Amino acid sequence: MSSRGAQHNWRGTLRCKGVASSSMWTPGSRTLRCGISRASLVRASLACLRLMLERFPEVPHVCQLSGSCLPIKPIADLQAHLERHRDIDFIEAVSVADDPWVVDGLSMERFTLYHPLSFRKHRKLFDKNVQLQRALKVKRKMPEGLVPHIGSQWWCLSRKTLSLILTDPQLPEYCAYFRHTWIPDESFFQTLAAKHSDRITSAPLTFVRFDP
């Protein structure tokens, strides 16, 4: 699942462990218009995951990757690794309160302020919105039972954890809350994985290096 451009018609494509390469698929003719770092990416991921778990009941893990990701090791090595760790969720999910993961930008205020505007499209209005809420001492409350976590949007989650997330009775409330957080694709699954997973490792399955 990937985002290629600030706004586009998205079609999810996933490669499943244990599914032949010819079984690549798209969710019918349905399209979701997505924006980078927007809640629409979370909605697209959830829609794709529902279809994924329904159509491929034998798949133990689902990996969300960027369209820019390229394999640097054989896919068979990845399959073997996941088979050895069927009960582990590979996701960077660090507690916002305990870890300075954010180097530049908002940290806890991603969650405690309202962010209805696109940072990329409306930078000045975005900044003014943040300043106004600070002046008014706005502080949103997270839904009960959640602890804010953050991390990379590229992850590999077990079927068990994804099933718990998708069947969580509070999921509609969580989606409504994260709709107005900042960059929810870096916090939605991270926060819910922290709630539902029995075993999380932050050891990444992807290698990323940003230009300085």
Side-chain angles (χ1 to χ4, degrees), residues 53-207:
L53 298 187
E54 176 184 347
R55 295 191 183 188
F56 302 105
E58 75 282 11
V59 172
H61 282 86
V62 178
C63 294
Q64 178 162 269
L65 302 173
S66 166
S68 301
C69 286
L70 296 173
I72 58 176
K73 291 187 177 181
I75 298 299
D77 289 358
L78 173 61
Q79 293 176 330
H81 182 71
L82 294 178
E83 187 64 34
R84 292 193 300 269
H85 303 90
R86 293 176 68 93
D87 59 341
I88 293 181
D89 292 294
F90 299 87
I91 184 170
E92 186 178 30
V94 299
S95 172
V96 177
D98 301 330
D99 192 295
W101 187 83
V102 177
V103 176
D104 184 25
L106 304 177
S107 182
M108 186 61 78
E109 286 181 325
R110 294 178 180 225
F111 303 92
T112 59
L113 301 181
Y114 292 90
H115 300 285
L117 301 171
S118 169
F119 176 80
R120 290 174 174 265
K121 287 187 173 183
H122 309 289
R123 175 63 184 271
K124 290 184 178 180
L125 288 176
F126 180 95
D127 290 340
K128 288 182 178 180
N129 177 58
V130 169
Q131 293 167 7
L132 177 60
Q133 291 183 75
R134 286 173 176 170
L136 295 175
K137 300 187 184 303
V138 172
K139 190 170 183 179
R140 302 177 69 199
K141 290 184 178 180
M142 289 202 75
E144 186 176 355
L146 293 186
V147 177
H149 283 68
I150 201 167
S152 170
Q153 66 270 57
W154 314 125
W155 40 255
C156 184
L157 293 176
S158 67
R159 183 183 194 89
K160 176 183 176 182
T161 296
L162 288 172
S163 296
L164 290 172
I165 290 174
L166 292 174
T167 58
D168 191 317
Q170 291 180 273
L171 184 60
E173 178 186 359
Y174 299 157
C175 290
Y177 172 82
F178 277 94
R179 180 180 179 184
H180 293 307
T181 58
W182 190 46
I183 317 182
D185 54 317
E186 291 183 351
S187 58
F188 180 86
F189 287 100
Q190 293 75 8
T191 299
L192 293 192
K195 175 185 178 181
H196 289 294
S197 177
D198 294 325
R199 296 184 64 186
I200 285 180
T201 177
S202 292
L205 297 178
T206 55
F207 173 77

Side-chain angles (χ1 to χ4, degrees), residues 7-71:
Q7 202 156 357
H8 62 286
N9 285 331
W10 172 91
R11 292 180 185 272
T13 303
L14 293 171
R15 183 177 296 276
C16 318
K17 177 188 175 298
V19 178
S21 59
S22 60
S23 298
M24 298 295 287
W25 57 276
T26 58
S29 58
R30 184 185 180 192
T31 61
L32 295 173
R33 185 170 292 276
C34 294
I36 292 177
S37 302
R38 305 293 289 161
S40 51
L41 290 177
V42 173
R43 292 198 300 271
S45 295
L46 289 172
C48 194
L49 288 168
R50 289 188 181 97
L51 283 173
M52 181 75 169
L53 298 187
E54 176 184 347
R55 295 191 183 188
F56 302 105
E58 75 282 11
V59 172
H61 282 86
V62 178
C63 294
Q64 178 162 269
L65 302 173
S66 166
S68 301
C69 286
L70 296 173

